[in-house]
Every structure is written in C-alpha cells, then in structure tokens.
Amino acid sequence: MAQLTAYYGPIIHMLAPSELEIIPLALIVVDTGGQITSLTRQVESHNIHLALTSLDLSPDLVDVRHLAPGQILIPGFVDTHNHAPQWAQRGLGQGMHILGWLDKITFPNEARFSDPAYARRVYDSCVDGFLRQGITMASYYGSVHGEATKILADLCLEKGQRAFVGKCNMSRNSPPYYRDATVEESLQVTEDCIAHIRRIDPHGRLLKHVLTPRFAISCDPEVLAGLGEIARRNPDLPIQTHFNEAEQEMTATMGLFPQFTNEADLYEHYGLLGRRSILAHCCHMTDYEMRRLKELDSGVAHCPISNMTVGGGFMAAPIRDFLRRGIKVGLGTDSGGGFSSSILDAMRQAMIASHAREVTSKGEDKGLTIPEAFYLATLGGAEVCCLADKIGNFVAGKAFDALVIGTRGADSGIMTMVEDDDDLLTVFEKFIMTGDDRNIVQVYVQGRLVKGNQREAK
C-alpha cells in the first residue's frame, strides 16, 4: 500500500515578489500528513522511479499521479480579507460610500446571522464557493454572533479549508439590532470563540481564531483595549481590521479618537498593530504610516475590486510603494464589497488599478505584472497571514495546498484557447487573464482533496 503521494507534471509558483518559477517536469512528493517532502526539478517520465530511489524512497510505496496533458499545478490562493456573511449580499450597493453601504446593505444582512440555521445555510454555500474558486486559505470576518462564528469554523474544518475565523467586534455606531450589547459581552463572546476553535482544532492544523475589531469606529476604547490584552496573552492569534479605507471613514475615526492623528498610532496604542496584523484596504497612506507598517512588520490586504466599486473610496491603493518598501501585501476578495468573489478577478483588478496609478503618478509607481499579481494571491498572502513557512509555494517542508488547473478539452472552459506551440508561460498568462473556476479541476488543502474528483488524476 502506498505511503506517500507524488504529483508529476508542470508546476508554476513564486519564490519571491518578482521571481516566477516554471518547472515543466516536476516531481512533488507529499507525505500522509499533507507535507511536501521534496520537490525535484526536470525529471523525465522514464526516470521517475530513479528519482524516487535517489530520495531513498521505494517506488512501490509511492502513488505517482501524472497530470493530464494541458494541466498545471499551482499553489492554492490565499484570500487575506473576506467577509463571510456578505456571501449572500454580493453585488449589492455598488457605487455607495462605505458608511451608507454599511447602514443600508451590510448591517441588515449580517444581523440575520443571529439565526444559526440561516448562518449554517449561508456559510455552507460560502465555504464551498470559495473552495471551488481555489481559495485554500481565507481570513474570514464573521458577524457579531458567537454561535454563527462557531458554525463558520466548524464548516471550514469539516470541508477542509484552511482559515482564520473571527467574531466581529462591534459595540457602537451600528444599529441597536446589530451590535454587541456591552463591552463585556463583546470580549466574552470573543474568548468563547477562541476556546471553541482551539477545541475543534487543538493543534491549529487548519484553523485559528483571528481577533476582529471591525474598525475603530465600531468599537468603544474599552473593546479595543480588551482585544489588545487578549492579543498580548495569545501571541499565536492573528489580528484583522479595516485601515485607512476611505476618507469618510478616516474622518469619522479621528473624530472619535481626537488624541490620535492617524490610524497607525491608534491601533498601536491599543496593542493591535504588529506583525500579526492584517490591515484591509490601506488606500490613503502617509509616509509616516508606511514607515510604521514596515517597522512593525504589519501586512496589507489589498482589495482592488471593492476599492474601486463600493465602500473603498474609489481609490487605487499604493501597492507598488508597499512592495518597494518591503511591506507585506496580499489580495482580498472582500466578498460582498464588490462585483466578484474570485481571486482571479482580484488579480486582474489589481493590475488595472496599478496601471491607473502609474498614470496618475506620472510613471513613478509602475503597474503590476502578471507574476506580481500571482505573488499577491499566493506567497504574498501567506506572508501577510504569517503563514509563509507553511504555505504559498511548493518549497519542501510546506503543506501541499494546491490547485490542478486544466487548460485543454473539457477543462478549458472559456479561457483563451491553448495552441500546440504555446509554452508554459503563455498558458499560465492565458489562465490568469481569462480563466475562471471551470479551469480549477482539483483543490488540495494539507494534501487532502477538498474539491474535484480523484478520477481526474491521471
């Protein structure tokens, strides 16, 4: 009986922000725990057994799975900013500004998650939908409701998606029907959710709770201070919030916290800005805030679709500047805050927004390339989530979070047709720019097939 699994065929992954590696004949060996034990380059098919033997492996104990013609293997996508409750409101409120959009569209929708049955129905569809789109790791905002947040965590674990799951903290400046009743309740429900996730996944193999003050506007100072104390006591927990998303939001924030002149100092004061922080949007940044993010090693969740359609102030975030300064950057779909929940669409919109910024900066901020956008969706996102030692590419020692991409025949969908003389770079570019979930044949998380049919492995 095979004890290991090997995948043979073309792989494409990022080694650094601008370093795309294409390996036409790769052999990846994965152990029973879903960890990559080796990546061997340029192995001719007739030498697979020899390659396994050179790794001190018995070929009889390795199940070798050959990718079919036209298939390539890429790392799973990382979604660094995702509002799971908004799965049911996608596409609504386009063109509205952030605070009005929250009051009229989002808060009424999220309030429905007080009903556990409704939460289970929506979250079941949500997790399935994102896995189908190749998102193997998501950083989820839940609703304010503890029970619904636990259901989301349960479903992620059951379906095999790697995830950060956070109960959303909101104690003020939202409708009475949708907020935490007291500061104490907000913090206690957070602690309950932390305990639940640790109980169902005690080794944190797939899940972690993420501390989730929605934004400073929605949190009393005591809630922010309490979350900062929880963060101090739990150095393994990530933190996520919205940061400098829109001028309307920033003005309201400074009005509530007049002792600060910027959001970086505000969140740092409460112990919520540091290496573990995932900051969504970051559209309007001063040089000082840029420097603080770099010094504290905080990460940016770039949400180009929502930034340009709803809630984000219709701004192209300074991604080239982030990359130039060495600030961690990944991509977020933002789920309901835009026209698409696809990370492929987020990659394309990131490139469009960056090229627009190149024009307005008179060429100083160069537009993103396709490999750079791919980096944001994979290794960059892993770095933002402090998971780059575990996922993001196919380096030995990392988990096998992977997508089998089909580009020919029944797998081709409506992407640009692949021609016989196309090299792998051309096929890759055609998929990134014109492919969709129909090209995602199989999805693996920690070595487990979570979407697709095993029969499709040749």
Side-chain angles (χ1 to χ4, degrees):
M1 180 178 179
Q3 297 178 359
L4 300 170
T5 304
Y7 298 86
Y8 178 73
I11 75 163
I12 301 177
H13 65 168
M14 298 299 295
L15 299 177
S18 297
E19 190 177 350
L20 179 74
E21 183 177 36
I22 298 176
I23 310 173
L25 301 172
L27 184 69
I28 299 178
V29 179
V30 181
D31 68 18
T32 55
Q35 300 296 121
I36 299 169
T37 63
S38 64
L39 166 59
T40 308
R41 294 162 172 82
Q42 300 313 107
V43 179
E44 297 292 340
S45 59
H46 60 273
N47 286 331
I48 290 176
H49 278 209
L50 180 61
L52 293 173
T53 302
S54 71
L55 295 169
D56 293 327
L57 300 175
S58 170
D60 293 337
L61 298 179
V62 181
D63 176 16
V64 180
R65 300 177 183 178
H66 295 251
L67 299 186
Q71 291 183 342
I72 57 177
L73 194 67
I74 66 172
F77 296 138
V78 179
D79 188 347
T80 61
H81 183 68
N82 189 316
H83 289 272
Q86 294 176 18
W87 178 255
Q89 70 173 70
R90 290 171 298 152
L92 302 181
Q94 299 302 296
M96 297 177 70
H97 282 274
I98 180 66
L99 299 185
W101 177 75
L102 288 170
D103 286 337
K104 295 183 182 303
I105 303 292
T106 300
F107 292 158
N109 171 71
E110 292 190 9
R112 300 181 68 184
F113 286 77
S114 61
D115 176 1
Y118 179 77
R120 183 172 297 279
R121 185 165 68 253
V122 174
Y123 286 156
D124 184 80
S125 174
C126 169
V127 177
D128 277 342
F130 283 113
L131 282 172
R132 190 177 305 118
Q133 295 177 94
I135 294 173
T136 53
M137 162 63 200
S139 188
Y140 285 124
Y141 285 59
S143 64
V144 300
H145 313 102
E147 186 60 30
T149 303
K150 294 174 185 178
I151 289 169
L152 176 58
D154 291 344
L155 287 168
C156 289
L157 188 62
E158 173 189 320
K159 295 175 183 295
Q161 187 180 46
R162 193 181 304 279
F164 294 165
V165 178
K167 171 259 186 293
C168 206
N169 296 95
M170 299 169 57
S171 61
R172 64 173 175 174
N173 290 320
S174 59
Y177 64 80
Y178 189 58
R179 65 172 69 168
D180 296 313
T182 63
V183 168
E184 292 74 20
E185 178 190 88
S186 185
L187 298 175
Q188 183 55 58
V189 174
T190 298
E191 296 271 22
D192 289 346
C193 289
I194 294 169
H196 176 80
I197 290 173
R198 285 176 172 164
R199 183 165 57 252
I200 63 173
D201 189 8
H203 302 294
R205 190 172 175 80
L206 292 181
L207 301 183
K208 280 189 179 182
H209 186 277
V210 52
L211 298 173
T212 307
R214 188 178 202 115
F215 53 2
I217 293 173
S218 69
C219 294
D220 288 293
E222 294 80 5
V223 169
L224 295 177
L227 291 173
E229 173 58 22
I230 293 173
R232 187 192 65 78
R233 288 189 280 106
N234 297 271
D236 61 312
L237 295 183
I239 303 160
Q240 63 183 1
T241 193
H242 297 79
F243 192 96
N244 287 7
E245 180 175 0
E247 290 178 344
Q248 182 188 42
E249 167 261 325
M250 294 163 64
T251 299
T253 300
M254 293 301 99
L256 290 169
F257 295 90
Q259 67 272 41
F260 302 105
T261 60
N262 60 82
E263 294 191 15
D265 288 347
L266 189 164
Y267 287 111
E268 185 178 5
H269 172 80
Y270 288 108
L272 297 171
L273 191 66
R275 177 178 176 271
R276 296 175 281 155
S277 302
I278 303 169
L279 307 175
H281 302 290
C282 299
C283 294
H284 304 267
M285 301 293 292
T286 64
D287 180 70
Y288 171 77
E289 288 173 310
M290 290 274 206
R291 286 189 282 111
R292 289 307 291 149
L293 264 59
K294 173 60 178 173
E295 290 161 359
L296 295 169
D297 199 24
S298 302
V300 173
H302 178 38
C303 304
I305 293 176
S306 59
N307 289 350
M308 302 297 286
T309 52
V310 64
F314 317 108
M315 282 288 295
I319 300 307
R320 177 60 64 194
D321 202 3
F322 289 139
L323 292 172
R324 186 164 48 234
R325 293 170 183 257
I327 294 170
K328 300 182 297 189
V329 190
L331 283 181
T333 63
D334 209 2
S335 195
F339 61 79
S340 173
S341 59
S342 164
I343 205 87
L344 285 166
D345 282 342
M347 279 188 256
R348 296 161 193 157
Q349 190 68 25
M351 285 185 277
I352 292 168
S354 70
H355 289 301
R357 194 172 181 96
E358 180 176 355
V359 173
T360 59
S361 69
K362 295 181 169 50
E364 182 178 344
D365 289 345
K366 297 297 182 184
L368 294 173
T369 64
I370 291 176
E372 287 173 325
F374 183 55
Y375 160 80
L376 296 181
T378 55
L379 183 58
E383 290 170 347
V384 168
C385 295
C386 298
L387 293 174
D389 60 329
K390 295 181 173 61
I391 60 172
N393 57 21
F394 295 124
V395 170
K398 295 190 180 186
F400 187 69
D401 287 13
L403 311 178
V404 175
I405 305 301
T407 65
R408 288 181 179 269
D411 298 336
S412 62
I414 60 168
M415 69 171 275
T416 305
M417 65 180 293
V418 173
E419 303 192 69
D420 291 339
D421 59 351
D422 285 346
D423 60 16
L424 280 173
L425 178 59
T426 300
V427 175
F428 171 71
E429 290 181 346
K430 286 180 175 180
F431 165 66
I432 295 297
M433 296 308 297
T434 68
D436 58 26
D437 58 284
R438 284 168 289 192
N439 303 106
I440 301 174
V441 177
Q442 293 176 325
V443 180
Y444 291 87
V445 179
Q446 197 72 43
R448 171 187 169 189
L449 180 67
V450 295
K451 282 293 174 186
N453 193 320
Q454 192 63 71
R455 291 177 303 174
E456 291 160 345
K458 306 298 179 182

Coordinates of all heavy atoms in Angstrom, one line a residue, residues 17-18 287 290-291 294 300 317-329 354 357-358 361-368 372 375-376:
P17 N 8.6 38.1 -4.7 CA 7.6 39.0 -5.4 C 7.8 39.1 -6.9 O 6.7 39.2 -7.6 CB 7.9 40.4 -4.7 CG 8.4 40.0 -3.4 CD 9.2 38.8 -3.5
S18 N 9.0 39.0 -7.4 CA 9.2 39.1 -8.9 C 9.8 37.9 -9.5 O 10.4 37.9 -10.6 CB 10.0 40.4 -9.3 OG 9.3 41.5 -8.9
D287 N 3.4 58.9 4.6 CA 4.7 58.3 4.7 C 5.0 57.8 6.0 O 5.6 56.7 6.2 CB 5.8 59.4 4.3 CG 7.2 58.8 4.4 OD1 7.6 58.0 3.5 OD2 7.9 59.2 5.3
M290 N 3.3 54.4 6.4 CA 4.0 53.4 5.7 C 5.2 53.0 6.5 O 5.5 51.8 6.6 CB 4.5 54.1 4.3 CG 3.4 54.3 3.3 SD 3.1 52.8 2.3 CE 2.5 53.6 0.8
R291 N 5.9 53.9 7.0 CA 7.1 53.5 7.8 C 6.8 52.7 9.0 O 7.5 51.7 9.4 CB 7.9 54.8 8.2 CG 8.7 55.4 7.1 CD 9.6 56.5 7.5 NE 8.9 57.8 7.8 CZ 8.7 58.3 9.0 NH1 9.2 57.7 10.0 NH2 8.0 59.4 9.1
K294 N 6.0 49.1 8.0 CA 7.2 48.4 7.7 C 8.0 48.1 9.0 O 8.5 46.9 9.2 CB 8.1 49.2 6.8 CG 9.5 48.7 6.6 CD 9.5 47.3 6.0 CE 10.9 46.7 5.7 NZ 10.9 45.3 5.3
V300 N -0.7 44.1 4.6 CA -1.8 44.8 3.9 C -2.6 43.8 3.1 O -2.1 43.0 2.3 CB -1.2 45.9 3.0 CG1 -2.4 46.5 2.1 CG2 -0.5 47.0 3.7
A317 N -5.0 51.6 -4.3 CA -4.1 51.6 -3.2 C -2.6 51.6 -3.7 O -2.4 51.1 -4.8 CB -4.3 50.4 -2.3
P318 N -1.7 52.2 -2.9 CA -0.3 52.3 -3.4 C 0.5 51.0 -3.3 O 1.5 50.9 -2.6 CB 0.3 53.4 -2.5 CG -0.5 53.2 -1.2 CD -1.9 52.8 -1.6
I319 N 0.1 50.0 -4.1 CA 0.7 48.7 -4.0 C 2.2 48.7 -4.4 O 3.0 48.1 -3.7 CB -0.1 47.7 -4.8 CG1 -1.5 47.6 -4.4 CG2 0.6 46.3 -4.7 CD1 -1.7 47.3 -2.9
R320 N 2.5 49.4 -5.4 CA 4.0 49.4 -5.8 C 4.8 50.0 -4.7 O 5.9 49.5 -4.5 CB 4.1 50.3 -7.1 CG 5.6 50.4 -7.6 CD 6.2 49.1 -7.9 NE 5.6 48.4 -9.0 CZ 5.8 47.1 -9.3 NH1 6.6 46.4 -8.5 NH2 5.2 46.5 -10.3
D321 N 4.3 51.0 -4.1 CA 5.0 51.7 -2.9 C 5.2 50.7 -1.8 O 6.3 50.6 -1.2 CB 4.4 52.9 -2.5 CG 5.3 53.9 -1.7 OD1 6.5 53.6 -1.6 OD2 4.8 54.9 -1.3
F322 N 4.1 49.9 -1.5 CA 4.2 48.9 -0.4 C 5.3 47.9 -0.8 O 6.2 47.6 0.0 CB 2.9 48.1 -0.3 CG 1.8 48.9 0.3 CD1 0.5 48.8 -0.2 CD2 2.0 49.7 1.4 CE1 -0.6 49.5 0.4 CE2 1.0 50.5 2.0 CZ -0.3 50.3 1.4
L323 N 5.3 47.4 -2.0 CA 6.3 46.4 -2.4 C 7.7 47.0 -2.4 O 8.7 46.3 -2.0 CB 6.0 45.9 -3.8 CG 4.7 45.0 -3.9 CD1 4.4 44.7 -5.4 CD2 4.8 43.7 -3.2
R324 N 7.9 48.2 -2.9 CA 9.2 48.9 -2.9 C 9.7 49.0 -1.5 O 10.9 48.9 -1.3 CB 9.0 50.3 -3.6 CG 10.3 51.0 -3.8 CD 10.2 52.1 -4.8 NE 9.0 53.0 -4.5 CZ 8.0 53.3 -5.3 NH1 8.1 52.8 -6.5 NH2 7.1 54.1 -5.0
R325 N 8.9 49.3 -0.5 CA 9.3 49.5 0.9 C 9.5 48.1 1.6 O 9.9 48.1 2.8 CB 8.3 50.3 1.6 CG 8.2 51.8 1.2 CD 7.0 52.5 1.8 NE 6.8 53.8 1.4 CZ 7.2 54.9 2.1 NH1 7.7 54.8 3.3 NH2 6.9 56.1 1.6
G326 N 9.1 47.0 1.0 CA 9.2 45.7 1.7 C 8.0 45.4 2.6 O 8.2 44.6 3.5
I327 N 6.9 46.1 2.5 CA 5.7 45.9 3.3 C 5.0 44.6 2.8 O 4.8 44.5 1.5 CB 4.8 47.1 3.3 CG1 5.5 48.3 4.0 CG2 3.5 46.8 4.0 CD1 4.8 49.6 3.9
K328 N 4.6 43.8 3.6 CA 3.9 42.6 3.2 C 2.5 42.9 2.6 O 1.8 43.7 3.1 CB 3.6 41.6 4.4 CG 4.9 41.2 5.1 CD 4.6 40.2 6.3 CE 3.8 40.9 7.4 NZ 3.7 40.1 8.6
V329 N 2.2 42.3 1.4 CA 1.0 42.6 0.7 C 0.4 41.3 0.2 O 1.1 40.5 -0.4 CB 1.1 43.6 -0.4 CG1 -0.2 44.1 -1.0 CG2 2.0 44.8 -0.1
S354 N -3.3 49.3 -10.6 CA -1.9 49.7 -10.5 C -1.5 50.4 -11.8 O -0.7 51.4 -11.7 CB -1.0 48.5 -10.3 OG -1.0 47.6 -11.5
R357 N -2.8 53.9 -11.4 CA -1.9 54.6 -10.5 C -0.6 55.0 -11.2 O 0.0 56.1 -10.9 CB -1.7 53.9 -9.2 CG -1.1 54.7 -8.1 CD -1.0 54.0 -6.8 NE -0.5 54.8 -5.8 CZ -1.2 55.5 -4.9 NH1 -2.5 55.5 -5.0 NH2 -0.7 56.3 -4.0
E358 N -0.1 54.2 -12.1 CA 1.1 54.5 -12.8 C 0.9 55.8 -13.6 O 1.8 56.7 -13.7 CB 1.5 53.4 -13.7 CG 2.8 53.6 -14.6 CD 3.2 52.5 -15.4 OE1 2.6 51.4 -15.3 OE2 4.2 52.6 -16.2
S361 N 0.7 58.8 -11.2 CA 1.9 59.1 -10.5 C 3.0 59.5 -11.5 O 4.2 59.6 -11.2 CB 2.4 57.9 -9.7 OG 2.8 56.8 -10.6
K362 N 2.6 59.7 -12.8 CA 3.5 60.0 -13.9 C 4.6 59.0 -14.0 O 5.8 59.4 -14.2 CB 4.0 61.5 -13.7 CG 2.9 62.5 -13.7 CD 3.5 63.9 -13.5 CE 2.4 65.0 -13.9 NZ 1.1 64.8 -13.3
G363 N 4.3 57.8 -13.9 CA 5.3 56.7 -14.1 C 6.1 56.3 -12.9 O 6.8 55.3 -13.0
E364 N 5.9 56.9 -11.8 CA 6.7 56.6 -10.6 C 6.3 55.2 -10.0 O 7.2 54.4 -9.7 CB 6.6 57.7 -9.5 CG 7.4 57.4 -8.3 CD 7.3 58.5 -7.3 OE1 6.8 59.6 -7.6 OE2 7.7 58.3 -6.1
D365 N 5.0 55.0 -10.0 CA 4.5 53.7 -9.5 C 4.2 52.8 -10.6 O 3.1 52.9 -11.2 CB 3.3 53.9 -8.6 CG 3.6 54.5 -7.2 OD1 4.8 54.6 -6.9 OD2 2.7 55.0 -6.6
K366 N 5.1 51.9 -11.0 CA 4.9 51.1 -12.2 C 3.8 50.1 -11.9 O 3.6 49.6 -10.8 CB 6.2 50.3 -12.5 CG 7.3 51.2 -12.9 CD 7.0 52.0 -14.2 CE 8.2 52.8 -14.6 NZ 7.9 53.6 -15.8
G367 N 3.0 49.8 -12.9 CA 1.9 48.8 -12.8 C 2.4 47.4 -12.5 O 3.6 47.1 -12.8
L368 N 1.6 46.6 -11.9 CA 1.9 45.2 -11.6 C 2.0 44.4 -12.8 O 1.2 44.5 -13.7 CB 0.9 44.6 -10.6 CG 0.8 45.3 -9.2 CD1 -0.5 44.7 -8.5 CD2 2.0 45.1 -8.4
E372 N 3.6 39.3 -10.5 CA 3.5 40.0 -9.3 C 2.1 39.9 -8.7 O 1.9 39.7 -7.5 CB 3.8 41.5 -9.4 CG 5.4 41.7 -9.6 CD 5.7 43.1 -9.9 OE1 4.9 43.8 -10.6 OE2 6.8 43.6 -9.4
Y375 N 1.9 36.5 -7.3 CA 2.5 36.5 -6.0 C 1.6 37.0 -4.9 O 1.5 36.4 -3.8 CB 3.8 37.4 -6.1 CG 4.3 37.9 -4.7 CD1 5.1 37.0 -3.9 CD2 4.0 39.1 -4.2 CE1 5.5 37.4 -2.7 CE2 4.4 39.6 -3.0 CZ 5.2 38.7 -2.2 OH 5.6 39.1 -1.0
L376 N 0.9 38.1 -5.2 CA 0.0 38.6 -4.1 C -1.1 37.6 -3.8 O -1.5 37.5 -2.6 CB -0.7 39.9 -4.7 CG 0.1 41.1 -5.0 CD1 -0.8 42.3 -5.5 CD2 0.9 41.6 -3.8

